[in-house]
Amino acid sequence: MIRVHATTPSLAAAMERLNIRNAAAIQVDNTVFLSGLTAVDTETGELIPGGIREHARHTLELYRTILADIGLSLDHVVKVNAYLADPADRLGMLDAQ
């Protein structure tokens, strides 16, 4: 079974306002794939202020919201691919929880 979560209740308005057209999540049987996100303010579409820790924390919060909307949590996550422009930011990203 494949189910596309084009948006989620908590982020529907922001995705529409920011003209985000990719699916928030795609579920294939018992596996869910989440779309890539970045640290944008869901009200303004602007990058949030701060450094890598603030950006990673904000992005994790967006993922928590998407997961909660489809009945899951970060406890269900088994793999994360994170891409950094500067490898020196790795420890700051890992510090975000």
Side-chain angles (χ1 to χ4, degrees):
M1 173 195 79
I2 297 176
R3 180 172 180 201
V4 176
H5 301 274
T7 187
T8 65
S10 298
L11 295 178
M15 290 179 76
E16 180 68 27
R17 183 174 47 261
L18 300 174
N19 198 31
I20 297 172
R21 298 292 177 217
N22 58 307
I26 296 176
Q27 183 174 351
V28 181
D29 297 323
N30 291 327
T31 304
V32 176
F33 299 90
L34 300 176
S35 293
L37 294 172
T38 190
V40 296
D41 182 310
T42 56
E43 293 298 316
T44 66
E46 299 292 323
L47 190 64
I48 66 160
I52 187 65
R53 282 181 184 84
E54 292 80 13
H55 290 185
R57 285 184 184 129
H58 182 79
T59 302
L60 278 173
E61 196 55 43
L62 291 173
Y63 279 123
R64 281 187 187 99
T65 300
I66 293 169
L67 288 166
D69 282 352
I70 59 176
L72 300 171
S73 72
L74 287 177
D75 292 335
H76 295 95
V77 174
V78 295
K79 184 179 182 209
V80 173
N81 291 329
Y83 300 96
L84 298 171
D86 184 350
D89 287 336
R90 181 179 175 272
L91 292 178
M93 184 205 58
L94 293 174
D95 187 44
Q97 294 179 5

